[in-house]
Amino acid sequence: MELMADLLSLADLNAIAVSQLVGVGEKKAKSLAKAEIETLFDLLTFYPRRYLDRTKESRIADMAEGEEASILVTVVRSSSRRVRGGRVMVTVTVTDGSTNLDVSFFNQAWRERQLTAGTEAMIFGKISFFRGKRQMANPVVDLVGDKTGTIIAVYPQSDKSGLQTGDVSSFVAEALRRTVPPKGRGFLDPLPMAVLDRHDFVDRNAAMSGIHRPESIPEAMAARRRLIFDELFRMQLALVLRKRHMEATEVGMEHLIGGPLVRRFHERLPFPLTSAQVRAIEEIATDLARPIPMHRLLQGDVGAGKTLVAVASMLAAVDGGHQAALMAPTEVLAEQHHAGIRRLLEPLEVPDPGSLLGDRPLKVELLSNRTSSADRKRILNELLVGQVDVVIGTHALIQDKVRFSSLGVVVIDEQHRFGVEQRAALRGKSADGVLPDVLVMTATPIPRTAAMTVYGDLDVSVLDELPPGRTPIVTHWVKAPGSLDIVEGAGSAALEAMWRDVRTQISDGRQAYVVTPLIDESEKIEVASAEETFERLMFGELAGLNVGLLHGRLSGPERDETMERFRRGSLDVLVATTVIEVGVDVPNATVMVILDADRFGIAQLHQLRGRVGRGEHASTCWLVGDATTSDGEARLQALVDSTDGFELAEVDLDLRGEGTILGERQKGRNDLRLASLRNDREVVALARREAIHLLDADPGLAGHPALLEELGLFLDEAEADFLLKG
Ligand code: ADP
Ligand code: MG
């Protein structure tokens, strides 16, 4: 401990203002503040964006036509002029001592201010010859400061802070000189020795010098690896601590496992469960039997059979004389769950001391905004006295008036549509501080390592297997403009083949969906476009068939009627907006056409496609769209190549990055500066293993005060109090 006090912790660094560094005056401090650099901690975690390796530099005089190269240059002069079309062209003459080079920039007028005479910069681009002179157009430019090393760190730059990369590197050099030995006190390294050794990590002094001022690229990479681990390790420690803290402090119900209702339910199932379903049900049962409230996520692809798992969990509550609630994001879905679950459960009987026979039928009710006020009143009353066993509903379930006699299990379907507060509100409906067990279900798989980060405080069960007998959906991509207007043009033969397929399947007795373009601007335009598509198909490609239209602006009863007609088979085709995205289940539907498919994301296309392939017949999905970007192309191709939701989730993560996945669940200070869920998947898993290992041995981190302190720096105050002082 004596020794430790001498070393610098991140909190110490965070207490030292950058203005204490030599060379940081009022003006520079202001620029730094604009880039959110106020303390030494901020400065030293302002990491280089990339490195320039001077051993890879070229000489202008040696470069041939078409060659690509990095060159360290000094600006000789720059000028700008207007060219045709009113655009601005900036011409900068640079030299590397061997000869001059003319560099031109189009429509980047600010380059004239950036690249003034005498400025040193690293440029990267392709050489061409014009009238015997070398030139380069629109190169990548990095302003460099300190060029003494072989490796030059390039820092992120923004116009608004006015901060020069040269400034940053000299401030960082100064900060390191004063913190790292021999001159400085050195950094406190909170990572247990065993972890350092196990993974061959460099210590923090080496990591800090290595990331900012490496002497070789491998040195920089080793530093990076260590710092990425630190970020992910802190995150995992916080998540695992949060989970364990909840387990230690919350009081839950010990449910009866293997009771008569669950047994009879299993006996009555017309098919065997998949082994994934069996496993998930067992994992849940183990949680339910414990006196600790369950927080479990059930991930499973569309059609994997999550509902049965949910029903088995809810029945465990009813077996013990408690109630269960299932919350779905839309009316359509709630109604569908209600109908399906009712069919499964209402033949079952529950004990009822008040009745002559000692039993009554198990009661499943639906509570939504469309429930009549008389029914509503009755249901609320019966929930309160315990006569309703299972209630299914939408947001209507979290209203104040809804009270339970004893709420034992809560299931939340398609959890990504509900906020954290809504989940908490439903969970809070239990009586007397005993919390119900919570199962959240999602059909939008996220990659395993991403799940560890986003849902690291939940337990996760995965249904990674579809029930047998499903024929995989064959997906085609028709490269044509997705709106129907240009049928004559590109892809028209393929479009004809597509409509022929639709008609053939319908004449074989099957049904089809046509999904109309997603329009971001407004629901009104989206509906108009759906109506237009509907009319056009009725009188064109699908003339003579029974076609229905479904969109978000229809009234509840209108929507019900259309859905019901489609379900009964009296409609051949359902033209619909994305309202059919979640959960609609019509096994006889075997073709889906998605118009303007390039406007949808991977996850959404996968969800939509999941509406077909639900029965015994082979299904096809036609994606119509003209991808205008390489990402768009990769998205549609991914759908053609795979029907596996987890695989698609990986592709999605690759294409979109993690921003969208992290989204709302990011709390406190965002600590991921170097780490990426996409590129550092193995490290995420490693960090989680190490976090669990450490907390198993030392639950309160009493033996690791430095780590505990550091963790506190990254949590917001409330959470730090909650997790670290408990
Ligand atoms: P999802 O996971 O998308 O919510 P569902 O629970 O709606 O999937 O199930 C999709 C379909 O598969 C339903 O019609 C359901 O009855 C059926 N199903 C579920 N489990 C099995 C099984 N083990 N064997 C056969 N069919 C099953
Ligand atoms: Mg479902």
Side-chain angles (χ1 to χ4, degrees):
M1 293 297 127
E2 282 301 292
L3 248 182
M4 195 178 107
D6 289 319
L7 298 170
L8 291 160
S9 69
L10 297 187
D12 293 336
L13 294 176
N14 204 38
I16 305 172
V18 267
S19 54
Q20 308 228 346
L21 290 174
V22 175
V24 182
E26 207 172 309
K27 193 154 158 259
K28 295 285 182 199
K30 256 195 194 128
S31 302
L32 285 164
K34 277 191 196 143
E36 296 181 9
I37 301 173
E38 297 184 8
T39 70
L40 281 204
F41 168 80
D42 299 332
L43 180 66
L44 290 174
T45 55
F46 189 77
Y47 297 119
R49 189 160 56 85
R50 60 199 193 93
Y51 302 96
L52 301 172
D53 184 349
R54 295 202 57 191
T55 61
K56 302 254 164 69
E57 247 170 68
S58 311
R59 258 165 49 98
I60 301 173
D62 300 339
M63 292 179 63
E65 167 97 46
E67 192 178 327
E68 264 190 346
S70 305
I71 326 164
L72 184 64
V73 297
T74 308
V75 175
V76 180
R77 63 181 164 271
S78 56
S79 62
S80 69
R81 64 192 167 91
R82 292 215 169 261
V83 292
R84 226 168 301 151
R87 300 198 308 166
V88 175
M89 186 171 93
V90 175
T91 304
V92 182
T93 304
V94 301
T95 180
D96 67 348
S98 71
T99 182
N100 283 4
L101 173 72
D102 281 341
V103 179
S104 49
F105 297 93
F106 292 94
N107 260 355
Q108 301 177 28
W110 54 276
R111 292 288 190 190
E112 195 181 1
R113 270 168 286 131
Q114 183 196 32
L115 299 171
T116 50
T119 306
E120 296 192 304
M122 195 78 158
I123 59 175
F124 175 81
K126 196 186 261 182
I127 289 285
S128 61
F129 277 79
F130 182 67
R131 294 189 183 142
K133 272 190 70 183
R134 287 186 181 79
Q135 59 174 29
M136 191 182 269
N138 295 323
V140 177
V141 176
D142 286 306
L143 297 187
V144 292
D146 174 25
K147 309 173 298 301
T148 47
T150 336
I151 307 291
I152 300 174
V154 178
Y155 289 90
Q157 253 173 305
S158 84
D159 278 348
K160 83 172 169 3
S161 69
L163 204 58
Q164 301 289 329
T165 183
D167 289 340
V168 176
S169 54
S170 64
F171 300 151
V172 166
E174 163 76 358
L176 287 173
R177 205 178 52 75
R178 289 175 52 179
T179 48
V180 177
K183 288 252 173 67
R185 278 149 64 186
F187 294 110
L188 174 63
D189 198 330
L191 213 55
M193 226 20 172
V195 178
L196 279 173
D197 284 347
R198 235 186 329 267
H199 307 292
D200 217 4
F201 288 132
V202 298
D203 69 21
R204 191 166 270 174
N205 287 325
M208 280 299 184
S209 319
I211 194 93
H212 290 290
R213 301 177 67 75
E215 278 168 21
S216 69
I217 294 292
E219 185 189 345
M221 292 304 113
R224 212 182 133 77
R225 197 171 139 260
R226 162 66 208 266
L227 294 170
I228 286 173
F229 179 82
D230 281 5
E231 292 178 359
L232 293 169
F233 187 55
R234 284 191 290 260
M235 184 176 231
Q236 290 301 330
L237 280 174
L239 287 163
V240 176
L241 271 170
R242 190 183 299 157
K243 179 166 183 290
R244 299 208 167 162
H245 187 85
M246 289 191 296
E247 290 175 354
T249 54
E250 293 178 349
V251 182
M253 292 183 189
E254 289 176 57
H255 288 283
L256 178 66
I257 295 308
L261 287 170
V262 172
R263 271 206 314 276
R264 292 210 41 218
F265 166 72
H266 283 301
E267 284 160 15
R268 289 171 35 88
L269 277 180
F271 40 68
L273 294 172
T274 64
S275 52
Q277 283 171 320
V278 171
R279 196 179 55 232
I281 289 174
E282 273 169 10
E283 285 165 356
I284 291 166
T286 310
D287 286 355
L288 292 178
R290 294 197 305 165
I292 297 165
M294 170 170 79
H295 300 269
R296 186 172 283 275
L297 175 75
L298 178 63
Q299 281 210 68
D301 216 337
V302 229
K306 292 185 290 297
T307 314
L308 287 187
V309 176
V311 170
S313 319
M314 295 197 289
L315 273 184
V318 182
D319 252 332
H322 306 289
Q323 295 157 299
L326 185 155
M327 182 159 70
T330 65
E331 308 270 343
V332 174
L333 203 52
E335 283 158 21
Q336 195 172 282
H337 271 312
H338 176 241
I341 291 175
R342 205 172 171 165
R343 259 196 313 277
L344 284 167
L345 296 189
E346 289 208 335
L348 302 179
E349 308 239 290
V350 293
D352 180 10
S355 101
L356 279 179
L357 301 171
D359 286 327
R360 63 167 173 82
L362 194 157
K363 196 158 189 187
V364 182
E365 289 286 0
L366 173 70
L367 199 61
S368 78
N369 291 333
R370 274 146 63 175
T371 309
S372 74
S373 63
D375 277 345
R376 199 182 149 68
K377 214 163 155 193
R378 174 184 58 79
I379 295 169
L380 290 186
N381 204 17
E382 291 179 350
L383 277 172
L384 193 58
V385 298
Q387 270 164 7
V388 169
D389 304 290
V390 175
V391 65
I392 291 162
T394 55
H395 297 81
L397 286 178
I398 57 181
Q399 288 158 359
D400 280 346
K401 293 217 171 96
V402 183
R403 301 261 162 75
F404 292 82
S405 150
S406 173
L407 180 60
V409 168
V410 166
V411 177
I412 296 172
D413 197 12
E414 306 297 346
Q415 72 84 32
H416 64 287
R417 306 230 167 179
F418 291 107
V420 179
E421 310 75 41
Q422 291 167 318
R423 258 182 275 156
L426 186 52
R427 190 166 172 261
K429 289 202 173 285
S430 61
D432 57 36
V434 178
L435 292 167
D437 290 282
V438 178
L439 180 68
V440 293
M441 307 200 289
T442 171
T444 311
I446 66 174
R448 206 174 65 88
T449 51
M452 285 178 187
T453 318
V454 186
Y455 301 116
D457 51 353
L458 303 181
D459 292 299
V460 179
S461 293
V462 179
L463 295 185
D464 50 5
E465 179 187 4
L466 294 180
R470 303 266 170 88
T471 29
I473 305 164
V474 175
T475 301
H476 303 282
W477 172 18
V478 179
K479 294 182 196 184
S483 54
L484 290 171
D485 298 340
I486 322 174
V487 179
E488 313 309 325
S492 62
L495 282 174
E496 273 169 33
M498 175 178 90
W499 295 119
R500 231 178 3 256
D501 179 45
V502 172
R503 301 191 72 105
T504 307
Q505 301 222 30
I506 288 168
S507 66
D508 288 345
R510 306 284 85 76
Q511 290 161 281
Y513 296 101
V514 176
V515 180
T516 60
L518 179 72
I519 290 161
D520 293 332
E521 298 90 75
S522 86
E523 193 188 28
K524 203 163 143 199
I525 306 178
E526 186 163 285
V527 167
S529 135
E531 281 165 347
E532 198 183 305
T533 308
F534 169 69
E535 271 166 34
R536 140 126 222 186
L537 289 174
M538 275 239 294
F539 299 108
E541 287 80 357
L542 302 179
L545 301 177
N546 293 318
V547 185
L549 174 65
L550 197 68
H551 59 65
R553 292 225 157 175
L554 294 176
S555 71
E558 287 170 314
R559 223 162 35 190
D560 287 348
E561 198 202 315
T562 307
M563 251 344 276
E564 195 41 43
R565 284 172 64 209
F566 189 66
R567 220 171 262 141
R568 274 203 318 267
S570 53
L571 286 177
D572 302 313
V573 182
L574 191 62
V575 174
T577 58
T578 51
V579 292
I580 61 155
E581 183 187 351
V582 269
V584 171
D585 188 16
V586 180
N588 191 46
T590 57
V591 203
M592 170 168 288
V593 170
I594 303 177
L595 298 173
D596 259 356
D598 51 303
R599 292 198 180 202
F600 297 91
I602 288 189
Q604 205 173 12
L605 288 171
H606 180 62
Q607 284 291 315
L608 285 167
R609 182 171 62 177
R611 302 307 108 217
V612 296
R614 301 177 82 82
E616 55 192 307
H617 304 283
S619 294
T620 32
C621 173
W622 295 84
L623 305 173
V624 184
D626 216 358
T628 47
T629 61
S630 66
D631 274 10
E633 192 155 315
R635 275 203 309 269
L636 294 179
Q637 193 56 44
L639 267 290
V640 172
D641 293 342
S642 175
T643 51
D644 180 332
F646 286 92
E647 212 172 290
L648 290 170
E650 294 279 351
V651 178
D652 206 16
L653 183 60
D654 278 339
L655 291 176
R656 284 194 311 167
E658 54 265 17
T660 42
I661 291 186
L662 279 177
E664 54 148 298
R665 283 186 61 98
Q666 268 300 359
K667 281 198 197 145
R669 187 174 204 150
N670 182 1
D671 187 23
L672 296 190
R673 292 178 184 228
L674 284 176
S676 129
L677 298 184
R678 173 165 37 155
N679 302 324
D680 302 309
R681 290 168 208 200
E682 297 82 47
V683 193
V684 173
L686 185 79
R688 183 157 184 91
R689 275 203 306 281
E690 289 292 357
I692 289 172
H693 185 75
L694 184 65
L695 291 172
D696 280 347
D698 182 5
L701 293 179
H704 299 86
L707 200 52
L708 198 63
E709 186 200 74
E710 184 162 314
L711 216 47
L713 190 60
F714 291 93
L715 299 173
D716 62 37
E717 216 170 295
E719 195 164 40
D721 275 352
F722 169 70
L723 293 180
L724 308 178
K725 311 222 172 103

